[in-house]
Amino acid sequence: MISNLTLSQDVFNTPDICTKMKIMHAVDKSLDRVTISEICEKAGISRQTFYRHFKSKYDIPWWFSIFCRQFYLNEIGRTIDWRTGYYHHIRLIATERDFFRKSIQYSINTPFGQTIMPQNRKVVLLETLQSYRHVPVDHNMQFLVETFSKLECEVLNDWFRSDADPDLVVWTDDLVSLVPDRLYRALDIPQNV
């Protein structure tokens, strides 16, 4: 997957992704305050088209984040190191930072990051440990992965909802510093110099 972005292939240009991006860009206020009808009108689509792509308006930020994870974040420990994965994931998500600040600013119905996001991240980390790195997952490693998945998601969510300027190098260093040492070493891939 990583080659799709590094070789300048436009993975965001498929008809399905273009429609989802059009829907996402039609959200101009908190998901709690915008209606499906308003999103559809602004995106120039029917409700049927909306529901073909999303079950709920609250699925929109989840979709984009999980879609973007496949290119860099999910590749940590598989094909790239922690710093490379975080740096490029943050860079990719930051392209839609305005959307996150507007859409999930006040969300009370489905708190972003407290549901599907950490669970998705946990599954990927466990799969990477077991299937790619062949690391046995004991009780402590399971605990580290579960706890870290929640922390990582919460930190990223807070950053993208904030008004702080995204300093990719600083944010990358800060995220890397949060990774528990045992997990970091288990998924460490030496950087290419």
Side-chain angles (χ1 to χ4, degrees), residues 135-181:
V135 173
V137 177
D138 59 14
H139 171 76
N140 180 253
M141 184 61 86
Q142 180 81 27
F143 172 78
L144 290 174
V145 168
E146 287 179 15
T147 304
F148 176 68
S149 298
K150 293 174 188 173
L151 177 62
E152 179 189 72
C153 289
E154 194 60 36
V155 167
L156 286 168
N157 293 337
D158 285 349
W159 281 346
F160 285 109
R161 286 187 295 213
S162 77
D163 290 328
D165 289 330
D167 184 325
L168 298 179
V169 173
V170 170
W171 285 12
T172 297
D173 289 344
D174 287 347
L175 274 175
V176 169
S177 74
L178 292 176
V179 182
D181 185 60

Side-chain angles (χ1 to χ4, degrees), residues 73-80 121-135 137 186-187 189:
L73 197 63
N74 291 358
E75 289 299 314
I76 294 172
R78 296 177 182 189
T79 60
I80 57 177
R121 184 67 174 132
K122 178 182 96 173
V123 168
V124 169
L125 286 170
L126 290 172
E127 180 183 331
T128 303
L129 286 166
Q130 295 170 324
S131 300
Y132 289 80
R133 302 309 293 269
H134 308 291
V135 173
V137 177
L187 298 181
I189 292 180

